Amino acid sequence: MNNLPKLIRRFTGILLLSFVVLVLANFAVLAFLMVWQSPSVADSPYNIAIQTGKAFQTSENGYTLPEEISTQLKEQNVWAFVVDNDTLQIVWKTENVPDTIPAGYSLSDIADLSVGYLDGYPTYTGSTENGIVVLGYPKDSFWKHTRASWNYNFFAHLPQIIFLVLTVNISVILLIYVIANMKFLKPVKPITKGIQNLSVGEPVHIPEKGLLSDISANINRTSDILQEQRQQLKKKETARANWIAGVSHDIRTPLSMIMGYAGQLKDDENLTGEERRKAEVIVKQSKRMQNLINDLNLASKLEYNMQPINTAKQNLLAVVRQIVVDFINMDIEDKYPIKWLTDEALTVCPVNVDKDLLKRAVSNLIQNSINHNEQGCKIYIEVTADDNYCTAIVSDDGIGASDELIEKLNKTPHYMLCDENTTGQQHGLGLLIVKQIVSVHGGETVITNNSYGGFTVKFMLPKIK
């Protein structure tokens, strides 16, 4: 909608600019042609007539014309004669004077030929000692104004008149332009509104009439297709969420039974050590499966905004420290020692979060390092703060990940990332949940390798005052 006035202004501006440039170009071309076609002052027929009259020499034998002037007149095919002041008869003439030219003149004839034509020939006069010289140029060589008479005020106000005429012309052209394009501009408004609605997923229906009816029809068809796809996608997403919830619910009961019986076998003194170790593996893997189911449910709820978010002001530093303490207490064998790298000067880092989800995110990151480094590793935890963000960083010196996998983890919005090696556990669902939790709190997650040779995940949450 905001672009429509800009479009109209652009069209109008281009029209005005084109008109102004065209007018200026026409004036420039006209001036050039006038200068190019007009003779110089020295070659002006008026000046030549005056110079010819001055060049005449009188003697007892009559008038004589210098050879230089005579040659110049011949080269231009100009004829000439001299009329005596007393007798008003021709007393000298060139050989090429037409036969139709009279030999005698009255004063009124002299007045006419001095400003106009003689028998269709443009004539120009100059004065001699006892008469006037008349030069006659070819009929198609010059055009003379013979009846021109202009009011002085017209020329005195000519700039204002030209400006007024141009203004009126521009106004008329603009009026014609606007009227002529009303049918084109009228359907543009609903089309632009329809395109904006398409971009936000709203249904669109534009009246299919006017000069742009084809475009309107195509937009309507596009809207129908997008709405149908939106409905189908919504059905698929709902079905997927329901399937995940249903399968998770159905698995919990048999999984609980497996874990219960496996736990009894693990503690049964009548079984051999090997058998109890196998039962212990079953319990361990069952717990991992149970955690995966819980993660899958949480990821699904976060994706479809079904997980209630109870935010409150929390100290990120305190929450992370408490989780670290819990993991240290559980690591009896000291297989996964945790090193606290946070600056001692930092005591408070306030964020507005759901505390349970935040604890889940940090726990997932620490557990991720444990799950992917069965031989053990060191885990490094750090919390930093600046004016805008509180950042939690979890790193390890374990096996790390390839650059290709790092890129996938940062960009692929999918539950699991797997490759042809199905025997090893892949980074995926746990990190996805971390990214989702951070995202719903307005933060950002970055996954990288680190200088320890292992894996680093850091998430930044907006800091509150």
Side-chain angles (χ1 to χ4, degrees):
M1 295 296 294
N2 296 332
N3 291 332
L4 183 58
K6 185 186 294 185
L7 180 65
I8 296 175
R9 288 196 299 268
R10 176 184 284 269
F11 283 161
T12 305
I14 292 175
L15 178 66
L16 286 174
L17 181 61
S18 301
F19 180 78
V20 171
V21 170
L22 185 61
V23 169
L24 294 178
N26 287 334
F27 275 118
V29 172
L30 179 61
F32 171 76
L33 291 176
M34 291 180 65
V35 172
W36 182 56
Q37 294 289 341
S38 300
S40 63
V41 175
D43 295 333
S44 169
Y46 291 101
N47 186 66
I48 292 177
I50 293 172
Q51 295 301 323
T52 301
K54 293 180 178 180
F56 268 105
Q57 299 174 0
T58 57
S59 64
E60 295 179 356
N61 298 326
Y63 291 94
T64 58
L65 186 64
E67 185 66 24
E68 180 182 354
I69 300 297
S70 179
T71 301
Q72 181 182 4
L73 295 178
K74 288 181 180 180
E75 289 176 350
Q76 298 184 23
N77 197 22
V78 177
W79 49 263
F81 62 80
V82 176
V83 179
D84 185 75
N85 286 337
D86 296 330
T87 64
L88 299 180
Q89 298 294 314
I90 294 177
V91 294
W92 179 91
K93 64 179 180 180
T94 58
E95 297 177 354
N96 59 343
V97 173
D99 296 336
T100 56
I101 299 301
Y105 298 88
S106 65
L107 291 177
S108 61
D109 293 335
I110 297 297
D112 287 339
L113 66 85
S114 64
V115 297
Y117 297 81
L118 179 59
D119 194 25
Y121 295 91
T123 54
Y124 301 88
T125 60
S127 61
T128 64
E129 185 176 348
N130 295 314
I132 62 171
V133 61
V134 178
L135 301 185
Y137 281 77
K139 291 184 176 182
D140 297 330
S141 57
F142 293 101
W143 177 59
K144 300 177 69 178
H145 293 280
T146 59
R147 297 292 185 268
S149 180
W150 305 95
N151 186 284
Y152 174 80
N153 288 329
F154 174 79
F155 284 98
H157 298 89
L158 187 60
Q160 295 91 325
I161 294 174
I162 293 176
F163 177 77
L164 179 62
V165 170
L166 289 177
T167 302
V168 172
N169 288 337
I170 292 175
S171 301
V172 171
I173 290 174
L174 283 177
L175 180 62
I176 295 174
Y177 172 80
V178 172
I179 294 175
N181 286 279
M182 284 299 292
K183 288 186 176 181
F184 171 77
L185 296 175
K186 187 176 181 180
V188 171
K189 183 176 180 179
I191 287 176
T192 54
K193 179 64 176 177
I195 294 174
Q196 288 180 342
N197 290 338
L198 280 180
S199 65
V200 296
E202 295 182 7
V204 173
H205 181 75
I206 305 172
E208 298 177 9
K209 58 183 180 181
L211 296 175
L212 303 178
S213 58
D214 291 343
I215 297 178
S216 300
N218 289 332
I219 292 177
N220 290 337
R221 284 194 292 270
T222 302
S223 176
D224 294 339
I225 293 172
L226 291 177
Q227 290 303 313
E228 183 178 355
Q229 291 177 346
R230 186 182 182 89
Q231 291 297 327
Q232 294 296 329
L233 182 60
K234 187 175 181 180
K235 290 180 180 179
K236 291 180 179 179
E237 291 176 344
T238 302
R240 185 174 70 168
N242 291 336
W243 181 83
I244 291 173
V247 170
S248 299
H249 180 270
D250 292 342
I251 289 177
R252 280 195 180 95
T253 300
L255 185 60
S256 297
M257 295 177 64
I258 292 173
M259 292 177 64
Y261 289 131
Q264 293 177 13
L265 293 174
K266 178 175 69 73
D267 299 328
D268 191 345
E269 298 294 337
N270 295 323
L271 297 179
T272 65
E274 181 64 22
E275 290 172 339
R276 287 199 301 271
R277 280 193 296 272
K278 290 180 179 179
E280 186 178 353
V281 171
I282 295 174
V283 172
K284 182 178 179 181
Q285 295 301 323
S286 297
K287 287 182 179 179
R288 177 173 291 183
M289 186 179 298
Q290 186 180 52
N291 291 333
L292 286 173
I293 293 172
N294 292 335
D295 286 348
L296 189 61
N297 273 325
L298 178 58
S300 178
K301 290 179 180 180
L302 289 171
E303 183 174 359
Y304 299 111
N305 298 319
M306 298 169 60
Q307 173 69 28
I309 309 297
N310 302 312
T311 59
K313 184 176 180 180
Q314 303 289 339
N315 183 2
L316 177 64
L317 184 66
V319 175
V320 174
R321 183 187 287 115
Q322 181 59 52
I323 297 172
V324 169
V325 171
D326 293 340
F327 271 91
I328 291 175
N329 292 335
M330 290 188 296
D331 186 22
I332 300 176
E333 299 179 357
D334 199 26
K335 190 176 180 180
Y336 299 97
I338 299 178
K339 188 173 182 179
W340 183 255
L341 301 179
T342 304
D343 189 346
E344 293 182 359
L346 181 63
T347 58
V348 178
C349 195
V351 291
N352 188 36
V353 296
D354 185 312
K355 184 176 181 180
D356 292 336
L357 289 179
L358 178 60
K359 292 172 66 176
R360 181 65 177 274
V362 178
S363 298
N364 275 15
L365 293 180
I366 298 176
Q367 191 63 48
N368 187 71
S369 294
I370 294 173
N371 292 341
H372 293 86
N373 297 281
E374 295 184 356
Q375 304 302 319
C377 68
K378 290 182 181 179
I379 300 175
Y380 304 88
I381 309 294
E382 183 180 7
V383 176
T384 62
D386 57 27
D387 294 338
N388 300 315
Y389 292 97
C390 293
T391 303
I393 306 171
V394 178
S395 306
D396 61 57
D397 60 358
I399 60 175
S402 65
D403 292 338
E404 182 181 0
L405 181 57
I406 292 293
E407 184 176 0
K408 288 183 179 180
L409 290 170
N410 279 310
K411 296 182 179 180
T412 305
H414 198 273
Y415 284 158
M416 298 296 289
L417 290 172
C418 59
D419 53 24
E420 296 179 356
N421 180 17
T422 58
T423 60
Q425 186 178 3
Q426 300 297 308
H427 299 275
L429 186 56
L431 293 180
L432 172 67
I433 292 175
V434 174
K435 294 172 67 175
Q436 288 178 319
I437 292 174
V438 173
S439 178
V440 297
H441 289 93
E444 181 182 357
T445 306
V446 178
I447 304 170
T448 62
N449 285 315
N450 58 47
S451 59
Y452 307 117
F455 197 73
T456 293
V457 180
K458 68 177 180 179
F459 62 81
M460 296 163 285
L461 295 174
K463 185 179 180 181
I464 61 175
K465 303 301 182 182

